[in-house]
Amino acid sequence: MPEAVPPPIHLSPADRDLLLALLARHLPGVAVRVFGSRVAGWPASRGVKPHSDLDLAVAGQPADLALASLRADLEDSDLPWRVEVCVLDELPASLQGLIATHGVVLNP
C-alpha cells in the first residue's frame, strides 16, 4: 500500500528553508505543524492569498524564552507574511483535532 502524501503547504522553498532554520535554532527536536489557509485542503478555507499568515502549532510545552525568541526572529525575518505561533496543548480541543487530522508537519 502506498504511503499517504501530506497535502502541500503554500510556501516557497526559500521561505520553507528559512522557517526550518529558525525552528531548528529555537525549538530543536520539537514537532511543529502548519494549519490554516496555507495548508491545501484545510477545512473551511477560502484559499491562500499572498498576504495570508502562516499558522504554526508547537507540540509539548516549549520554554517561554524559546517561544519569545522564535517569535522575535520570525517578526524580524524576511518572510513576506506574519507567522502565528501557538502551543498545541493550549488550543481548544476542536482545533487540536483539526490540526491532528489536517495539519502538516513542517519540520522533520
Side-chain angles (χ1 to χ4, degrees):
M1 175 176 255
E3 205 172 302
V5 176
I9 303 169
H10 297 283
L11 299 175
S12 72
D15 290 342
R16 182 182 176 94
D17 290 346
L18 176 56
L19 279 169
L20 289 172
L22 290 172
L23 289 170
R25 181 182 314 146
H26 295 288
L27 299 174
V30 175
V32 176
R33 287 184 175 264
V34 177
F35 68 100
S37 62
R38 286 199 172 267
V39 175
W42 183 260
S45 173
R46 294 187 184 108
V48 69
K49 296 178 178 44
H51 62 275
S52 294
D53 69 350
L54 177 72
D55 298 299
L56 302 178
V58 177
Q61 292 297 322
D64 289 341
L65 183 57
L67 282 176
S69 295
L70 173 63
R71 287 176 176 135
D73 277 359
L74 287 166
E75 183 76 23
D76 293 339
S77 75
D78 291 332
L79 294 171
W81 19 255
R82 189 176 74 231
V83 180
E84 295 290 330
V85 180
C86 308
V87 176
L88 184 61
D89 293 346
E90 296 174 0
L91 296 173
S94 59
L95 183 53
Q96 288 183 38
L98 281 173
I99 293 169
T101 303
H102 302 284
V104 177
V105 174
L106 179 61
N107 53 344

